[in-house]
Short mmCIF file of all heavy atoms in Angstrom, two decimals:
data_model
loop_
_atom_site.label_atom_id
_atom_site.label_comp_id
_atom_site.label_asym_id
_atom_site.label_seq_id
_atom_site.Cartn_x
_atom_site.Cartn_y
_atom_site.Cartn_z
N SER A 1 61.88 89.64 32.37
CA SER A 1 63.05 90.19 32.99
C SER A 1 64.33 89.86 32.16
O SER A 1 65.37 90.54 32.31
CB SER A 1 63.27 89.63 34.40
OG SER A 1 63.45 88.26 34.41
N ARG A 2 64.20 88.80 31.29
CA ARG A 2 65.32 88.47 30.42
C ARG A 2 65.37 89.28 29.11
O ARG A 2 66.26 89.08 28.34
CB ARG A 2 65.28 87.00 30.17
CG ARG A 2 65.24 86.10 31.35
CD ARG A 2 65.27 84.68 30.98
NE ARG A 2 65.20 83.78 32.18
CZ ARG A 2 65.26 82.42 32.13
NH1 ARG A 2 65.50 81.83 30.96
NH2 ARG A 2 65.18 81.75 33.23
N MET A 3 64.37 90.12 28.95
CA MET A 3 64.26 90.91 27.69
C MET A 3 64.78 92.33 28.00
O MET A 3 64.12 93.07 28.72
CB MET A 3 62.80 90.89 27.19
CG MET A 3 62.27 89.54 26.91
SD MET A 3 60.48 89.51 26.87
CE MET A 3 60.15 90.65 25.54
N PRO A 4 65.91 92.76 27.40
CA PRO A 4 66.44 94.07 27.74
C PRO A 4 65.57 95.19 27.15
O PRO A 4 65.03 95.08 26.06
CB PRO A 4 67.83 94.08 27.04
CG PRO A 4 67.67 93.02 25.94
CD PRO A 4 66.75 92.01 26.43
N LEU A 5 65.41 96.25 27.93
CA LEU A 5 64.64 97.43 27.50
C LEU A 5 65.60 98.59 27.64
O LEU A 5 65.53 99.36 28.60
CB LEU A 5 63.37 97.61 28.30
CG LEU A 5 62.27 96.63 28.11
CD1 LEU A 5 61.05 97.02 28.98
CD2 LEU A 5 61.89 96.49 26.68
N THR A 6 66.51 98.73 26.69
CA THR A 6 67.45 99.82 26.68
C THR A 6 66.73 101.10 26.22
O THR A 6 65.67 101.03 25.62
CB THR A 6 68.63 99.53 25.75
OG1 THR A 6 68.12 99.28 24.49
CG2 THR A 6 69.38 98.28 26.27
N ARG A 7 67.35 102.22 26.54
CA ARG A 7 66.88 103.59 26.11
C ARG A 7 65.70 104.14 26.82
O ARG A 7 65.47 105.28 26.74
CB ARG A 7 66.68 103.59 24.57
CG ARG A 7 67.87 103.17 23.80
CD ARG A 7 67.79 103.46 22.33
NE ARG A 7 66.72 102.80 21.64
CZ ARG A 7 66.80 101.54 21.22
NH1 ARG A 7 67.85 100.82 21.50
NH2 ARG A 7 65.80 101.01 20.59
N LEU A 8 64.99 103.28 27.58
CA LEU A 8 63.94 103.81 28.54
C LEU A 8 64.58 104.05 29.91
O LEU A 8 65.53 103.35 30.29
CB LEU A 8 62.79 102.82 28.61
CG LEU A 8 61.87 102.74 27.38
CD1 LEU A 8 60.85 101.64 27.63
CD2 LEU A 8 61.24 104.06 27.05
N PRO A 9 64.07 104.99 30.68
CA PRO A 9 64.59 105.23 31.99
C PRO A 9 64.61 103.94 32.82
O PRO A 9 63.58 103.27 32.93
CB PRO A 9 63.72 106.30 32.58
CG PRO A 9 63.06 106.93 31.38
CD PRO A 9 62.98 105.93 30.33
N ALA A 10 65.74 103.60 33.42
CA ALA A 10 65.92 102.34 34.17
C ALA A 10 64.90 102.26 35.29
O ALA A 10 64.38 101.11 35.52
CB ALA A 10 67.33 102.23 34.70
N GLN A 11 64.61 103.31 35.99
CA GLN A 11 63.70 103.24 37.08
C GLN A 11 62.27 102.89 36.62
O GLN A 11 61.55 102.10 37.21
CB GLN A 11 63.68 104.57 37.95
CG GLN A 11 62.70 104.66 39.04
CD GLN A 11 62.94 103.59 40.13
OE1 GLN A 11 64.08 103.21 40.31
NE2 GLN A 11 61.91 103.09 40.72
N LYS A 12 61.90 103.50 35.48
CA LYS A 12 60.57 103.25 34.91
C LYS A 12 60.46 101.77 34.42
O LYS A 12 59.40 101.18 34.58
CB LYS A 12 60.29 104.20 33.75
CG LYS A 12 60.25 105.67 34.12
CD LYS A 12 59.16 105.98 35.15
CE LYS A 12 59.16 107.42 35.50
NZ LYS A 12 58.09 107.73 36.54
N VAL A 13 61.54 101.27 33.91
CA VAL A 13 61.49 99.85 33.51
C VAL A 13 61.32 98.97 34.70
O VAL A 13 60.55 98.01 34.65
CB VAL A 13 62.86 99.48 32.74
CG1 VAL A 13 62.91 98.03 32.49
CG2 VAL A 13 62.89 100.26 31.42
N ARG A 14 62.00 99.25 35.78
CA ARG A 14 61.87 98.42 36.97
C ARG A 14 60.44 98.48 37.51
O ARG A 14 59.89 97.48 37.91
CB ARG A 14 62.87 98.86 38.04
CG ARG A 14 64.28 98.44 37.81
CD ARG A 14 65.13 98.65 39.01
NE ARG A 14 65.38 100.08 39.34
CZ ARG A 14 66.34 100.77 38.83
NH1 ARG A 14 67.25 100.26 38.04
NH2 ARG A 14 66.44 102.10 39.12
N GLU A 15 59.86 99.64 37.50
CA GLU A 15 58.46 99.80 37.94
C GLU A 15 57.47 99.02 37.03
O GLU A 15 56.58 98.40 37.50
CB GLU A 15 58.07 101.27 38.01
CG GLU A 15 58.85 102.05 39.00
CD GLU A 15 58.51 103.55 38.99
OE1 GLU A 15 57.64 103.92 38.14
OE2 GLU A 15 59.14 104.30 39.69
N HIS A 16 57.83 99.09 35.76
CA HIS A 16 56.93 98.42 34.78
C HIS A 16 57.05 96.91 34.93
O HIS A 16 56.00 96.19 34.75
CB HIS A 16 57.45 98.78 33.33
CG HIS A 16 56.76 98.06 32.25
ND1 HIS A 16 55.45 98.06 32.01
CD2 HIS A 16 57.34 97.20 31.25
CE1 HIS A 16 55.15 97.33 31.00
NE2 HIS A 16 56.25 96.79 30.53
N ARG A 17 58.21 96.40 35.27
CA ARG A 17 58.33 94.93 35.45
C ARG A 17 57.99 94.46 36.81
O ARG A 17 57.74 93.27 37.03
CB ARG A 17 59.79 94.62 35.19
CG ARG A 17 60.27 94.89 33.73
CD ARG A 17 60.18 93.68 32.88
NE ARG A 17 60.43 93.83 31.45
CZ ARG A 17 61.60 93.82 30.85
NH1 ARG A 17 62.68 93.74 31.62
NH2 ARG A 17 61.68 93.86 29.56
N ASP A 18 57.79 95.35 37.77
CA ASP A 18 57.48 95.01 39.16
C ASP A 18 55.98 95.26 39.38
O ASP A 18 55.58 96.04 40.29
CB ASP A 18 58.32 95.77 40.14
CG ASP A 18 58.21 95.23 41.56
OD1 ASP A 18 57.84 94.05 41.71
OD2 ASP A 18 58.47 96.04 42.49
N LEU A 19 55.14 94.58 38.66
CA LEU A 19 53.75 94.82 38.82
C LEU A 19 53.15 94.17 40.08
O LEU A 19 53.64 93.09 40.55
CB LEU A 19 52.96 94.24 37.60
CG LEU A 19 53.15 94.87 36.26
CD1 LEU A 19 52.37 94.12 35.21
CD2 LEU A 19 52.83 96.33 36.30
N ALA A 20 52.20 94.82 40.70
CA ALA A 20 51.51 94.30 41.88
C ALA A 20 50.19 93.63 41.47
O ALA A 20 49.39 94.21 40.74
CB ALA A 20 51.20 95.42 42.91
N ALA A 21 49.97 92.40 41.92
CA ALA A 21 48.78 91.71 41.56
C ALA A 21 47.69 91.94 42.59
O ALA A 21 47.95 91.89 43.81
CB ALA A 21 49.05 90.18 41.48
N VAL A 22 46.53 92.18 42.13
CA VAL A 22 45.34 92.32 43.03
C VAL A 22 44.75 90.99 43.38
O VAL A 22 44.27 90.82 44.60
CB VAL A 22 44.24 93.20 42.36
CG1 VAL A 22 42.94 93.24 43.17
CG2 VAL A 22 44.76 94.64 42.13
N ARG A 23 44.79 90.04 42.55
CA ARG A 23 44.15 88.70 42.79
C ARG A 23 45.29 87.73 43.23
O ARG A 23 46.39 87.80 42.76
CB ARG A 23 43.55 88.22 41.52
CG ARG A 23 42.37 89.06 40.95
CD ARG A 23 41.97 88.61 39.61
NE ARG A 23 41.66 87.19 39.57
CZ ARG A 23 41.54 86.52 38.50
NH1 ARG A 23 41.66 87.10 37.29
NH2 ARG A 23 41.31 85.18 38.51
N ASP A 24 44.83 86.84 44.13
CA ASP A 24 45.83 85.81 44.52
C ASP A 24 45.55 84.53 43.62
O ASP A 24 44.58 84.47 42.88
CB ASP A 24 45.55 85.37 46.01
CG ASP A 24 46.01 86.50 46.93
OD1 ASP A 24 47.04 87.15 46.55
OD2 ASP A 24 45.41 86.68 47.95
N GLY A 25 46.39 83.52 43.84
CA GLY A 25 46.18 82.28 43.12
C GLY A 25 46.73 82.22 41.75
O GLY A 25 47.57 83.07 41.31
N GLY A 26 46.19 81.28 40.92
CA GLY A 26 46.70 81.04 39.65
C GLY A 26 47.73 79.93 39.67
O GLY A 26 48.38 79.68 40.70
N ARG A 27 47.90 79.32 38.54
CA ARG A 27 48.88 78.19 38.44
C ARG A 27 49.47 78.11 37.05
O ARG A 27 48.77 78.37 36.05
CB ARG A 27 48.17 76.88 38.73
CG ARG A 27 49.14 75.69 38.82
CD ARG A 27 48.41 74.43 39.35
NE ARG A 27 47.60 73.84 38.31
CZ ARG A 27 46.23 73.76 38.39
NH1 ARG A 27 45.63 74.24 39.45
NH2 ARG A 27 45.57 73.17 37.46
N VAL A 28 50.79 77.96 36.95
CA VAL A 28 51.43 77.89 35.68
C VAL A 28 52.14 76.52 35.58
O VAL A 28 52.88 76.10 36.50
CB VAL A 28 52.53 78.95 35.55
CG1 VAL A 28 53.29 78.82 34.26
CG2 VAL A 28 51.90 80.33 35.63
#
């Protein structure tokens, strides 16, 4: 989200960055 993606349609960028996860869990 801190990496700007100019020149692509803003709505498409939001959709691209707002991925839905199928699996739960995980740890960072």
Side-chain angles (χ1 to χ4, degrees):
S1 66
R2 303 182 182 187
M3 302 162 57
L5 291 183
T6 57
R7 303 193 296 282
L8 288 176
Q11 178 61 31
K12 298 299 182 180
V13 172
R14 284 193 292 269
E15 294 175 4
H16 172 61
R17 295 267 173 83
D18 190 23
L19 294 180
V22 172
R23 299 169 52 194
D24 291 328
R27 188 171 74 245
V28 177

